[in-house]
Amino acid sequence: MTALDEPLAAPAAPTGASAHGAGAAHHAVQRPNDRVAVYIWQAPVRITHWVTAICIVTLSLTGGYIADPFLIPPGGNVMTTIRLVHIITALTFLVSGVVRTVYLLAGNRFVRWTAFIPTNRTQFTELFRQAGFYGFVRSEIPKVLGHNQLAAAAYLALFALLLVETVTGFALDGLMGAEPGATAFAWLRELLGPQMLRLVHHLTMWLILAIALFHVYSCVLVDHIENVGVVTSMFTGYKFPTREEVVESRDGGPEVLEQAAKRADA
Amino acid sequence: MQDDGLYAALVRRGMTRRSFLQFSAAMAAALALPLSYAPRIAAAVEGSKRLPVIWIRGQACGGDTEAFLRSSDPDTVALFLDVLDIQYHDAFLGVAGGDAELARTSAMDRYRNGYFAVVEGSIPSGASGAYCLIGGRPAADVVREVCAGALATIAVGSCACDGGAPAAGSNPTGAGGVRALAGARYMALPGCPVNPVNLAAVIVHYLTFNELPPADLASRPLAAYGDLIHNQCERRPHFEFGEFATEWGDEGAQRGWCLYKLGCKGPETMGNCPTVRYGEKTSWNVRAGHGCVGCMTPSFWNAMGPAYKRLPSPVPFLPNVTVDMVGGALLGGVAGVMGVHAVGMGVRFKRRRMIAAHERAAAVPLGPLPPAVGDAGRRSEPAATVGLAPAEHGAADEADGRPDAPVGREGR
């Protein structure tokens, strides 16, 4: 299960004679229009993605009730239950976030931090080319197997906002006397004051929801354009680009094709 | 008044032995000590001289003095504070002018490093301190002097702790707390007004253990300011049961339900109001039907507002905007932009399909129709466009004249 675990900068895998005989030359990909299954999203990445998605929805709904109790008629331990759900979901989210962070450091080239933070000129210009595509300035979408750089920038912002929610959430929990927030984030309560802390926690929720909405829209749009199974890849882990696309993608190359072929043979 | 000790003075004021022991027990409770400490407290107070106190007032309304002075039936705490050896307090002095100044300076000399400095009210720094003068001198200078010779400085009330109401908003007088002027032994007792029980408890702790009680980051004694008001509130069960007053005087308010939705800051404020209460322990504001305003939180006037809403406005100068309005507008805006964008993208896709069809028609005017289905991963085109190539990949693929390989992982 560890295909494509080598870093982005590693030399390409030697292009020996494989069943498909691919990658003999860089410029002439054999059977360029054949589609191959490329394993992009490792299982823990997919699982944390969906856990995070469910957590964000649950936390937003329960948090909305805590901020301004509505809809549910009084009676029964309504607030107790909803706060309990909120806190348990938050802890689940935290675990999921830790797992994703591990894969940010040690995952494959598509999920590692190098896929998010532009480290070279190509990655930088891709950000603007992708933005140009959304802005109807460019007609072509940059070729990429994993995240395009604009999406990656949005996810970086999302990660930062999720971190803000986690920290302010624990600081608010500490207000009730619950550890570890009570001592670990006492400095934050002193710095911002409880009201500002609550305001930041609440406003950040809306920012996260806005990014989530944009995420869903852009995924469906890019799925429609790239036609390689973007949406289903978050369930199965695979995308189905053509052999030519694999080689020409910014984060692809002959070695990716090679590995995909090996994976298919196994 | 003879100086034969605190206990003798209390007895002269009519305190019985029984009520003195009750006071000791109450102090142990206020200091979050086990009841077994009550005898030790009683012994310490019995053996004490009347503690000299110099009480300075800066920019204050006098509420902190009033809090223990205006008892119609003085309780033991009021009596205890009453029999302290208050050497200087501008409201109590029988003399005025130069004699009053002399009373303070001579007390400072006589009891050097042996008195408590109690400061009430904020100390302004604006206009070189001219906004508040004591005996013609800036309050800051006098307070610094008094604190320098004190055993310890106790800031009573929110104004003395962080500037309070005079420091609110634009802070025209440059008001601030006493922290910067006091020495290392400093204790803050915020509240508007301070609860006399907490003041007495700090002094009793000093008499018993010869040190100030443990404090938090804002120098507030943990015994009094270590727990959330919400956690001690008598309306808390209504909070847990989702029972909220939604308007002043509505059915929920009449039934004593939780004031959370009316902006009560109890869930954000550390203090012991629900347990020690005010006004000879009769009530406190939430019990009386008004939400907590968070007066024990540092800079509460700026930080804890608005008093009757849960959250402040996130937009400066627009106090009626709520965070949900901003968030809803943001989300709606993003959705709107996406809707427009989706329409634009749809137009673009359609135009490309038409261009591709035209090109193909020009290139192979008499050839057979291309297959209706493009690459296998794509749904077939609707009947109206049969014969035209699918957009994007389809067009490119067919230009190669090569049918697509089946998509999928047939090898797996």
Side-chain angles (χ1 to χ4, degrees), chain A residues 33-35 66 68-69 74-77 79-80 134 138-139 176 195 202 206 214 217 224 226 238 245 264, chain B residues 231 239-242 260-261 265 268 303 310 324 327 338 341-342 348-349 352 375 393 400 405 407 411-412:
Chain A
N33 296 316
D34 283 14
R35 288 190 180 265
I66 294 166
D68 185 10
N77 291 10
M79 185 60 98
T80 317
Y134 282 125
R138 290 173 167 274
S139 57
M176 305 288 282
Q195 278 287 86
H202 199 125
W206 285 110
F214 169 73
Y217 171 74
H224 187 72
E226 287 186 341
Y238 288 92
E245 280 169 343
Chain B
N231 288 351
F239 173 84
E240 299 294 347
F241 275 62
Y260 183 74
K261 287 190 76 147
K265 302 298 184 298
E268 289 143 68
R310 275 250 59 76
D324 288 326
M338 278 170 198
H341 193 265
R348 176 186 263 194
F349 293 153
R352 279 200 202 163
D375 42 346
H393 299 294
D400 287 337
V407 176
R412 295 180 76 244

Side-chain angles (χ1 to χ4, degrees), chain B residues 76 137 161 188 389 411:
Chain B
T76 51
R137 295 171 59 210
C161 294

Side-chain angles (χ1 to χ4, degrees), chain B:
Chain B
M1 204 184 278
Q2 312 138 267
D3 195 5
D4 49 0
L6 266 175
Y7 183 64
L10 283 170
V11 170
R12 264 201 303 283
R13 293 292 305 271
M15 189 183 266
T16 62
R17 180 71 191 169
R18 184 184 181 81
S19 57
F20 175 69
L21 292 178
Q22 282 171 343
F23 167 75
S24 304
M27 286 296 107
L31 288 166
L33 292 170
L35 194 59
S36 53
Y37 274 84
R40 189 169 164 187
I41 288 172
V45 174
E46 267 182 308
S48 293
K49 292 275 180 200
R50 291 168 65 221
L51 188 73
V53 171
I54 295 181
W55 189 304
I56 301 277
R57 298 204 291 179
Q59 290 175 308
C61 64
D64 302 302
T65 303
E66 297 285 323
F68 74 91
L69 210 55
R70 291 287 176 195
S71 306
S72 57
D73 175 21
D75 60 7
T76 51
V77 170
L79 276 181
F80 172 76
L81 292 173
D82 226 18
V83 301
L84 290 177
D85 184 12
I86 299 183
Q87 287 286 327
Y88 174 88
H89 186 305
D90 58 10
F92 299 166
L93 281 175
V95 294
D99 288 346
E101 292 303 290
L102 189 65
R104 191 184 69 242
T105 49
S106 60
M108 280 164 60
D109 290 339
R110 201 163 351 123
Y111 299 108
R112 184 152 293 280
N113 298 324
Y115 63 88
F116 263 53
V118 177
V119 184
E120 175 185 354
S122 64
I123 311 298
S125 60
S128 310
Y131 289 116
C132 183
L133 302 176
I134 297 172
R137 295 171 59 210
D141 293 356
V142 176
V143 168
R144 193 181 288 114
E145 244 173 55
V146 171
C147 293
L151 266 179
T153 302
I154 305 179
V156 295
S158 300
C159 297
C161 294
D162 50 55
S170 61
N171 191 2
T173 61
V178 198
R179 183 84 193 88
L181 307 171
R185 296 179 106 176
Y186 166 78
M187 183 119 279
L189 298 176
C192 195
V194 65
N195 199 313
V197 174
N198 293 339
L199 177 59
V202 169
I203 293 173
V204 164
H205 190 280
Y206 183 81
L207 294 178
T208 310
F209 301 102
N210 210 25
E211 63 182 5
L212 294 172
D216 65 6
L217 290 174
S219 305
R220 301 177 296 185
L222 284 167
Y225 299 86
D227 197 6
L228 206 58
I229 284 181
H230 193 51
N231 288 351
Q232 313 156 57
C233 181
E234 61 255 39
R235 297 194 186 213
R236 176 65 179 268
H238 294 298
F239 173 84
E240 299 294 347
F241 275 62
E243 294 171 343
F244 301 99
T246 50
E247 257 178 79
W248 300 111
D250 72 353
E251 197 200 339
Q254 286 169 24
R255 295 174 74 172
W257 284 0
C258 177
L259 301 169
Y260 183 74
K261 287 190 76 147
L262 293 170
C264 176
K265 302 298 184 298
E268 289 143 68
T269 307
M270 311 295 261
N272 57 357
C273 306
T275 48
V276 299
R277 301 187 198 147
Y278 283 87
E280 297 152 50
K281 292 199 185 73
T282 49
S283 188
W284 65 295
N285 53 354
V286 170
R287 189 184 184 86
H290 186 285
C292 167
V293 295
C295 67
M296 291 176 173
T297 308
S299 309
F300 86 94
W301 202 278
N302 294 334
M304 298 304 274
Y308 302 109
K309 283 183 189 166
R310 275 250 59 76
L311 285 174
S313 162
V315 186
F317 307 114
L318 293 176
N320 290 328
V321 173
T322 68
V323 62
D324 288 326
M325 281 184 203
V326 172
L330 176 75
L331 208 59
V334 170
V337 168
M338 278 170 198
V340 173
H341 193 265
V343 171
M345 278 288 163
V347 169
R348 176 186 263 194
F349 293 153
K350 194 174 178 186
R351 202 169 57 196
R352 279 200 202 163
R353 271 201 293 275
M354 286 170 66
I355 292 170
H358 277 296
E359 279 173 354
R360 209 167 19 260
V364 277
L366 294 171
L369 285 172
V373 179
D375 42 346
R378 205 174 175 84
R379 60 193 175 279
S380 47
E381 295 293 316
T385 54
V386 164
L388 300 183
E392 323 290 332
H393 299 294
D397 293 342
E398 282 161 32
D400 287 337
R402 185 197 297 272
D404 281 324
V407 176
R409 352 172 201 170
E410 65 283 1
R412 295 180 76 244

